[in-house]
Amino acid sequence: MKQQHGEGVVVVGGGHAGLEAALASARLGVPTTLVTLRPDRIGEMSCNPAVGGLGKGHLVREVDALGGALGSIADAAGIQFRLLNRRKGPAVRGPRAQCDRALFRSKAQALLAGSPVQVIAAEVIDLAVEGGRVVGVETDAGRIDAAAVVLTTGTFLGGVVHIGHQRHAAGRMGEAAASRLSARLREAAFAMGRLKTGTPARLRRGSIDFTALQPQPGDDDPVFLSFATRAPATSQVPCHITHTNPATHDVIRAHLRDSAMYSGGISGPGPRYCPSIEDKVTRFAEREAHQIFLEPEGLTTDLIYPNGVSTSLPADVQVAFLRTIRGLEAVEIAQPGYAIEYDYVDPRTLGPSLQHREIAGLYLAGQINGTTGYEEAAAQGLFAGANAALAVCDAPPLQVGRADGYIGVMIDDLVSQGVTEPYRMFTSRAEFRLRLRIDNADQRLTALAIHRGLVTGRAAEAFEAKMARLDTVREGLRALSLSPKQAAALGIAVNDDGQRRDGMALLALPDVTLAQLTPAAPDLATADAGTAELLQIEARYDTYVARQDADIARLSADDALPLNPDLAFHALAGLSAELRDKLAAVRPHTVGAARRIEGMTPAALLLVMAASERRTRKSA
Amino acid sequence: METVFALASGPGIAAIAVIRVTGPAAASAVAALTGRAVPAPRRASQRRLIDATGHVLDEALVLWFPGPASATGEDLAELHCHGSRAVVDGVLAALAAVPGCTAAEPGEFTRRAFLNGKLDLVKVEALGDLLTAETEAQRHQALGAFGGGLSALADTWRRSLATALALVEATIDWADEDVPQDVSPEVRQRIDQVAVSMAEALAGQAAAMRLRDGYEVVLIGAPNAGKSTLLNAVAGHEAAITAAEPGTTRDFVEVSLSLDGLPVTLVDTAGLRSGDDVGAVEATGIARTLTRAAAADLRLFLDAPDAPLPGEAAALWHDGDLSVAVKGDLMPRVGAVSAVTGAGLPELRRTVAGILGERASRASSVISLRQRGVVGAAAEALARATSQGETELLAEELRAALAALEHLTGRTSPDDVLAEVFGRFCLGK
C-alpha cells in the first residue's frame, strides 16, 4: 500500500489494544512505532489469566478473522480450553482459554519482534497537535513525528491503586501511571471521566489444599479461539472450584469500612458485572456462598488467580477472609488484591472509525475508551490501528456494522451511547445475535479483511478455499426441492402439507444431517465434516436470520441519516421529559443512534428527525 | 422498508374514503385486491376490490403513483372506495392480509415523505406540530375514562417480558455462574400471563374501536312510524326531512351526538314495508336499510300501532336491542315516548346511553388497527416462544415481542435487560 504522508503511525501503549493496533498498522505496510513505558511487559495479562468467554470469545474470533493476533497467542499459551454453553445453541457458544501468563507475554513479544513494528521505551507526556491535526507525540526522550497516533493507555491515565486505606499512583500493580499525559489531555479539554475496577489477591499454589476441592477440567475436544489452531500447544491443567461461606462474609462485613470502595475513598463507578466480594456480600446479603474459580496463572508459576473475590480490603483482612474458605485454610498471598481508579476519555468524542472527532489523525482504543477486558481492547486496537494506517494511506476507513460483528456493536455502543461503567461485551448486547456466531466470524469479516489488505497470502488462500467448499455444498442444498413424500423416503418426517422444501430447510429440522440428504444430491457427499457442520448451523438459524433482513436494511438506512449536531434536545416539544433527558445526555449523531435510545418510540424519533431537519434548513 | 397502509380520509362516515398504500409491496397489494396489475400511472381506473377469499368488497377508483414521483417518494397507491365503515374495514383488513403490508404508524406517510426528501420546510414545521398534537392526544387517551390506559397495560407487558428475557439472558451470558439453573418455570409463567392479557385486549378491541369512531344506532320502523320525527326530537334540531308522505326517507339521514359523553351516530332509515306498490327505488332503499341496520351497534324498533312493522323486521332483532313505543301523545301507553310533547325522551336517551356505556366499559384499550397489529405481532412472537425449547431461539422470540411493543412502550434496550439481570442475580467474578 502506498504511503503518502511521509510519516507513519505511532501507537502509545503495549497492552492488548496497543499490540493489535501496531500489528494491524504494520500489516498494512505503514511504518509503525510502538511507544511503551516497559517493553518487557508488552502483552501482559494484568487481570485474570484467561481469554474469551461469551461475547468476548466472539470478539476474539472476529479479531482473528480480521487478521489479528489475540486468538492465536491465547491458543499458543492455552493451558485449559472450555467451550461455554456447549449444550446451548451454536450462536451462544463462547470459547475460552485459560492461559499461561508468561507464555502469553513471550508469544506476544515474539510476534511483535517478528513484525516491522519499531518498539521504543519511553513515557509519552503530550500529543503534538497542529491545526486540529495530530503530528506526533512528545516523550520524555524527545518528540516522535507521526501522521497518526493511536492512544491505548489502558488504566495508566491517572491511575490510582487502592488497598484498604492506602493509595498510590500506578498504572497497574508495580508500574508507574501515565500522569503527565492524563493531565495534558485534561488541559486540552478532552471530555474525561473516571472509572474503577478491581482484581483479587494472587495466591501461592503450594499453600492451597486442592484435595478438598472440586476440579474443573478442560474440554476433551477443545474448541480454539483462532480459526487456524488445530491442537493445544502445551500440556493442559484443571482449574478448581471453591466457595465463600458465612464465616467469610462475617469477616468481610466486619471490615467494610476499611474497604477502599466502601469507605468513600473511590469516586468512580465500578462495573456491575465484575462486583468486588464486598459488593456481593452487601448487595446479596441472603446468599450464603459465592463461587470462586482457582485458576492457575501458568504451568511453571507458583501463582493461582482466585476468580470471584476481587477486593480492595486491607491486605491482612484479605488473608483473613480467604483463610475461612475451604481449601484455602493456610493460604498465603503473593500480592494483595486492589481496586484501581483511572481516567477514560468519553468515547462519544470519537467517530465510528475511533478517530477523535476534533483532532484528525488521533485514534483511541481500549480501556481509555471506558471498556474493560483484553478482548474488547484487542478488537478496538485492531480497528483503530487499521484505520490509522488506512487514513495515512488516504484509504477510506474500515467499517463494521452492528449486523456484521460484535466489533460493530461495541464500537457503535461506545461512540453513540457512551459508558457509565466499564463496558464489557455480552451476547445480549447484539440485536442480531443469531447471525453473529463464532463459527461464521470469518465468513462475516475475512472477505473485508482481504479486500482491505489486513489478511493476505496463505491465510487469504485458505479462507477462499473454505468459502468455495461452503458455496458448493450450500448451492447443492438450495437447489434441492423435495416433497414431503420424498423427504419421508430419506427418513425425514415433515408436515404433509404439499410444500416442497430445499435442503437448507430440511437441514434446519432437529436431528436431520447432511448425510441423510446425500441420496437426493450425491454432490453433497463431497462435503467434509467441517463444511457439513457449518452448514448445519447456518440452516438452523436460516429462517431467523432471513426474518431480520428488513431490520438490518432499516438499521443501515437510519445509521446513514445524520442528525444536526446543534439540535437542542432539551427544547423539543412533544417528548416526555425523560426521553428529552436521555437524548440530551446521549446526543445521538445519527437517526440510528437515536432509535437505539431506551424508551424511544417511532413517533418520538420522527419528531427528533423533523426538528433536526428544521434546524439544518434554518441554518442553511 | 415495509409497506404500510392507512385510511387517508378522516375516520367516521363519509361519501368517499381514501386508503393509501406506500412502499415496495404497494403494487402487489393492488394486484392482490384487484386481481389485476396496477393501472396506468396517475390515472383513475375503476377496479373491483376483492378480499383473499374472492369476496367482493367494493367498486373503487384506483390510482397508481410509481416512486419516486409520488407523495412519499415510494410506490404509492390510492384506493378511493365508498365511505361506509363496512367497506373501509373490509379493505383495510384485506390489505393487512397482503404479505409485507402493515397498518401505518400515525404520521408514517409524512415520515416517509420526509425521509425521501419530499417535504418542504413548511411541511416539516407542520409535521412537528402534528406529532406534538398526536403525542398530546395519545396522552389524553391514556388518561381518558375509556381509553383505559393502553400504555399502562402495554407497559406491564413490557416489564414482564423484559424480566423473562433477563432470566433467559442470564443463563446465556453467565453460563459459568451460579444462576439458578432452571429459570424456565418463571419465564413460562410470565409469557403465558402476558399472552392471555394480550388475547383479552385483542378480543375487546372491536368495542374500543367504537369509542374512537362512535357508536351507530339505527332507527327501524314502518313508513310513517315517526322515525324522522324521533330523530329530530332526540337530536334537538331538524336533521331529517319529515313529511306525512310514506317513504320520504330513502337515503340515510345521520346525526352525530353525544349521549352521556359517548359518541353516537343516530341513523334514520327508509321505512320498512312490503307489497306490490313498492317501487324499484324504494326497494333499493329498503335493502340498504336492512344492511345498515344489521351492521349497527344498536337498533331501535319503533312501535307505532298505526304503522306496524312488517315481518322481515324481526330478523334484524339482536339481543340488547330496544323497542320504543312512539306517538305517546296520540296513543298513550306505558313508557311511551312523544316526539311532539317531549315526554319520555330523557328516559330514552338515558336508556340508550346506559346500554352503550355498559359496552364501553367492556372495551379493551387496544384501539387502532395499527395498535392491533403491534399487539398481534407481539402475541404471535409469544406463541412461537412457548413452543421453543432452545434457549437462544426463545430469547429471540422474546426480543421480537418486545420490539413489536416498542411502538407502544418505547424501546427496550439491551441495557434495560442487563440492569434487570444485575438487579436480580449476583453475577460476575
Side-chain angles (χ1 to χ4, degrees):
Chain A
M1 192 168 277
K2 191 162 156 284
Q3 190 199 331
Q4 298 179 343
H5 289 276
E7 290 150 20
V9 169
V10 168
V11 176
V12 181
H16 305 274
L19 180 69
E20 296 286 357
L23 290 172
S25 168
R27 270 204 304 285
L28 291 172
V30 173
T32 306
T33 308
L34 189 153
V35 188
T36 175
L37 290 159
R38 293 270 304 267
D40 61 317
R41 300 295 296 270
I42 288 174
E44 181 67 43
M45 307 179 92
S46 36
C47 197
N48 71 325
V51 172
L54 291 157
K56 290 168 168 283
H58 292 78
L59 280 173
V60 183
R61 277 284 175 95
E62 292 179 4
V63 166
D64 192 63
L66 289 168
L70 180 57
S72 53
I73 297 174
D75 283 345
I79 56 177
Q80 188 202 68
F81 293 92
R82 286 177 61 223
L83 181 64
L84 305 187
N85 279 339
R86 193 175 269 272
R87 283 195 296 275
K88 294 197 174 77
V92 294
R93 291 180 195 155
R96 182 179 189 275
Q98 202 68 45
C99 295
D100 180 302
R101 206 186 278 282
L103 209 49
F104 188 102
R105 207 167 47 218
S106 74
K107 295 282 177 197
Q109 292 177 14
L111 205 56
L112 201 58
S115 80
V117 175
Q118 185 193 2
V119 177
I120 292 178
E123 181 187 351
V124 171
I125 53 180
D126 204 354
L127 294 170
V129 179
E130 283 172 13
R133 161 168 283 282
V134 72
V135 293
V137 295
E138 301 289 349
T139 77
D140 54 358
R143 171 155 168 176
I144 305 170
D145 290 333
V149 171
V150 185
L151 281 185
T152 69
T153 52
T155 58
F156 280 63
L157 279 186
V160 175
V161 160
H162 297 253
I163 304 174
H165 296 292
Q166 299 171 5
R167 68 178 75 177
H168 63 278
R172 62 188 163 216
M173 201 54 131
E175 291 184 53
S179 305
R180 284 183 284 184
L181 180 57
S182 187
R184 279 296 298 133
L185 293 180
R186 278 189 188 276
E187 281 166 26
F190 273 72
M192 298 184 59
R194 209 137 168 86
L195 293 171
K196 71 132 230 229
T197 186
T199 189
R202 306 302 149 86
L203 315 180
R204 296 268 177 221
R205 184 199 300 264
S207 66
I208 299 172
D209 176 12
F210 289 103
T211 60
L213 302 178
Q214 175 198 347
Q216 186 193 42
D219 292 343
D220 292 333
D221 54 338
V223 171
F224 301 102
L225 290 159
S226 167
F227 283 101
T229 308
R230 295 286 167 264
T234 70
S235 50
Q236 302 291 293
V237 297
C239 295
H240 287 81
I241 296 173
T242 185
H243 293 88
T244 61
N245 57 56
T248 320
H249 302 172
D250 288 344
V251 174
I252 293 164
R253 278 195 202 100
H255 291 90
L256 270 184
R257 67 182 180 284
D258 298 322
S259 161
M261 280 171 281
Y262 274 78
S263 59
I266 294 185
S267 50
R272 288 170 300 178
Y273 48 80
C274 191
S276 63
I277 190 66
E278 293 95 301
D279 266 335
K280 293 184 186 181
V281 167
T282 310
R283 288 188 46 226
F284 296 90
E286 73 287 358
R287 287 279 295 269
E288 296 201 335
H290 295 278
Q291 191 170 244
I292 304 169
F293 292 85
L294 297 178
E295 304 176 352
E297 297 224 339
L299 295 173
T300 52
T301 166
D302 175 43
L303 296 181
I304 296 289
Y305 185 98
N307 205 345
V309 283
S310 126
T311 180
S312 61
L313 286 162
D316 59 329
V317 179
Q318 295 187 26
V319 173
F321 87 69
L322 286 169
R323 286 186 176 169
T324 62
I325 295 168
R326 189 182 175 104
L328 305 184
E329 293 84 354
V331 79
E332 286 170 23
I333 64 176
Q335 173 192 302
Y338 59 88
I340 182 164
E341 267 190 300
Y342 56 96
D343 288 337
Y344 76 101
V345 175
D346 183 345
R348 288 174 295 177
T349 56
L350 306 178
S353 64
L354 294 182
Q355 180 175 217
H356 197 274
R357 288 184 194 273
E358 277 149 35
I359 304 175
L362 178 64
Y363 295 78
L364 271 61
Q367 271 177 305
I368 190 174
N369 289 340
T371 63
T372 174
Y374 313 136
E375 304 83 355
E376 289 82 353
Q380 291 171 69
L382 183 149
F383 197 78
N387 278 331
L390 289 167
V392 168
C393 302
D394 283 334
L398 205 59
Q399 286 180 321
V400 177
R402 297 184 73 93
D404 303 323
Y406 279 87
I407 293 181
V409 172
M410 172 172 64
I411 289 171
D412 181 63
D413 281 349
L414 290 175
V415 306
S416 65
Q417 314 287 328
V419 300
T420 52
E421 65 179 340
Y423 180 96
R424 185 200 144 153
M425 186 46 75
F426 299 105
T427 70
S428 50
R429 293 197 194 274
E431 45 280 79
F432 305 110
R433 176 164 64 189
L434 298 184
R435 72 168 70 201
L436 306 186
R437 307 186 302 269
I438 57 167
D439 66 272
N440 69 358
D442 54 348
Q443 296 183 56
R444 290 183 275 121
L445 297 170
T446 302
L448 171 72
I450 292 172
H451 175 61
R452 306 308 302 273
L454 285 164
V455 170
T456 54
R458 290 235 297 275
E461 286 163 24
F463 169 77
E464 305 287 8
K466 178 179 174 181
M467 288 308 101
R469 291 195 298 276
L470 274 170
D471 288 346
T472 307
V473 182
R474 190 188 288 116
E475 279 162 24
L477 284 166
R478 297 250 184 243
L480 270 182
S481 172
L482 299 183
S483 67
K485 192 174 278 182
Q486 289 168 314
L490 298 174
I492 301 169
V494 297
N495 283 344
D496 194 8
D497 51 9
Q499 295 276 333
R500 300 187 80 83
R501 290 169 171 81
D502 76 359
M504 290 298 269
L506 292 169
L507 202 53
L509 299 169
D511 305 324
V512 174
T513 64
L514 195 65
Q516 268 177 286
L517 296 170
T518 46
D523 284 356
L524 299 181
T526 61
D528 57 284
T531 303
E533 189 188 352
L534 287 174
L535 288 168
Q536 187 98 46
I537 295 172
E538 192 175 315
R540 173 192 176 106
Y541 296 119
D542 208 29
T543 50
Y544 292 88
V545 165
R547 211 201 277 171
Q548 291 178 332
D549 281 346
D551 295 342
I552 291 174
R554 182 162 201 177
L555 175 90
S556 8
D558 285 347
D559 283 349
L561 283 173
L563 287 175
N564 188 302
D566 300 324
L567 193 57
F569 290 105
H570 264 303
L572 285 182
L575 293 181
S576 72
E578 194 187 349
L579 203 48
R580 275 204 302 260
D581 286 348
K582 280 185 186 144
L583 279 163
V586 170
R587 301 208 57 81
H589 291 277
T590 64
V591 171
R595 174 182 293 278
R596 285 189 282 280
I597 289 176
E598 176 196 332
M600 182 60 70
T601 63
L605 185 68
L606 182 54
L607 215 153
V608 170
M609 290 161 67
S612 168
E613 183 69 13
R614 263 201 312 273
R615 167 100 212 174
T616 303
R617 293 189 191 194
K618 272 183 180 160
S619 57
Chain B
M1 189 67 80
E2 60 188 1
T3 297
V4 296
F5 59 87
L7 180 63
S9 46
I13 315 297
I16 301 290
V18 178
I19 294 168
R20 298 169 100 190
V21 189
T22 184
S28 56
V30 170
L33 264 70
T34 60
R36 300 167 59 175
V38 290
R42 293 174 293 279
R43 300 242 329 249
S45 315
Q46 190 174 350
R47 291 283 186 276
R48 174 170 292 176
L49 301 186
I50 51 172
D51 67 14
T53 63
H55 179 76
V56 175
L57 299 166
D58 197 17
E59 287 285 339
L61 288 181
V62 176
L63 285 98
W64 175 243
F65 304 92
S70 72
T72 56
E74 306 172 326
D75 283 355
L76 179 119
E78 283 188 5
L79 313 174
H80 296 219
C81 334
H82 290 97
S84 94
R85 185 183 294 151
V87 167
V88 170
D89 286 353
V91 174
L92 291 178
L95 283 169
V98 175
C101 278
T102 47
E105 305 269 353
E108 180 73 14
F109 280 80
T110 322
R111 174 178 182 273
R112 293 187 178 216
F114 171 61
L115 286 179
N116 293 315
K118 291 282 176 179
L119 290 188
D120 61 21
L121 182 57
V122 175
K123 286 182 187 157
V124 172
E125 293 277 6
L127 177 62
D129 295 343
L130 169 79
L131 289 165
T132 309
E134 246 167 32
T135 324
E136 194 60 12
Q138 283 165 3
R139 196 173 65 80
H140 280 303
Q141 189 177 57
L143 296 174
F146 306 113
L150 174 64
S151 329
L153 182 59
D155 203 55
T156 64
W157 298 337
R158 188 194 73 84
R159 274 186 279 127
S160 191
L161 294 179
T163 303
L165 179 59
L167 291 169
V168 178
E169 297 287 9
T171 66
I172 292 176
D173 269 333
W174 285 270
D176 236 10
E177 311 220 9
D178 338 348
V179 177
Q181 272 308 292
D182 200 7
V183 297
S184 49
E186 182 178 347
V187 171
R188 185 52 51 96
Q189 188 192 0
R190 286 182 179 276
I191 292 174
D192 289 347
Q193 279 172 356
V194 172
V196 166
S197 173
M198 284 180 174
E200 283 170 359
L202 288 169
Q205 77 115 21
M209 290 277 262
R210 293 291 178 263
L211 283 178
R212 193 196 61 191
D213 294 343
Y215 288 87
E216 192 164 296
V217 177
V218 170
L219 302 180
I220 296 168
N224 222 10
K227 298 182 294 296
S228 302
T229 314
L230 183 65
L231 177 107
N232 291 339
V234 173
H237 63 89
E238 289 265 322
I241 310 152
T242 48
E245 176 89 5
T248 308
T249 311
R250 290 207 185 108
D251 284 307
F252 305 123
V253 176
E254 303 176 4
V255 180
S256 292
L257 60 155
S258 173
L259 288 182
D260 279 6
L262 291 175
V264 173
T265 302
L266 203 56
V267 184
D268 185 12
T269 58
L272 296 185
R273 67 185 188 120
S274 48
D276 296 341
D277 58 336
V278 176
V281 174
E282 192 182 353
T284 307
I286 290 171
R288 293 177 61 193
T289 293
L290 295 175
T291 310
R292 184 85 183 248
D297 298 297
L298 179 67
R299 283 145 294 273
L300 303 185
F301 290 82
L302 271 59
D303 166 24
D306 59 343
L309 277 163
E312 63 254 48
L316 292 175
W317 182 272
H318 289 57
D319 274 354
D321 284 346
L322 281 182
S323 175
V324 182
V326 289
K327 303 187 184 176
D329 50 317
L330 301 176
M331 290 156 276
R333 284 154 295 157
V334 177
V337 171
S338 168
V340 176
T341 65
L345 280 178
E347 290 79 2
L348 178 63
R349 284 166 167 271
R350 269 202 300 279
T351 308
V352 171
I355 291 170
L356 297 178
E358 196 270 329
R359 293 184 191 176
S361 69
R362 290 201 307 263
S364 151
S365 41
V366 178
I367 53 165
S368 72
L369 192 61
R370 173 71 200 180
Q371 286 162 340
R372 182 183 173 80
V374 163
V375 177
E380 279 170 26
L382 292 186
R384 291 194 301 266
T386 39
S387 63
Q388 188 49 259
E390 301 291 344
T391 316
E392 82 279 20
L393 300 179
L394 169 61
E396 200 63 23
E397 301 298 2
L398 284 171
R399 287 172 169 206
L402 282 166
L405 289 181
E406 205 164 282
H407 297 279
L408 301 175
T409 64
R411 178 174 151 83
T412 304
S413 71
D415 264 345
D416 289 339
V417 177
L418 285 173
E420 186 78 34
V421 170
F422 293 125
R424 200 152 156 147
F425 300 118
C426 182
L427 296 166
K429 296 170 189 168

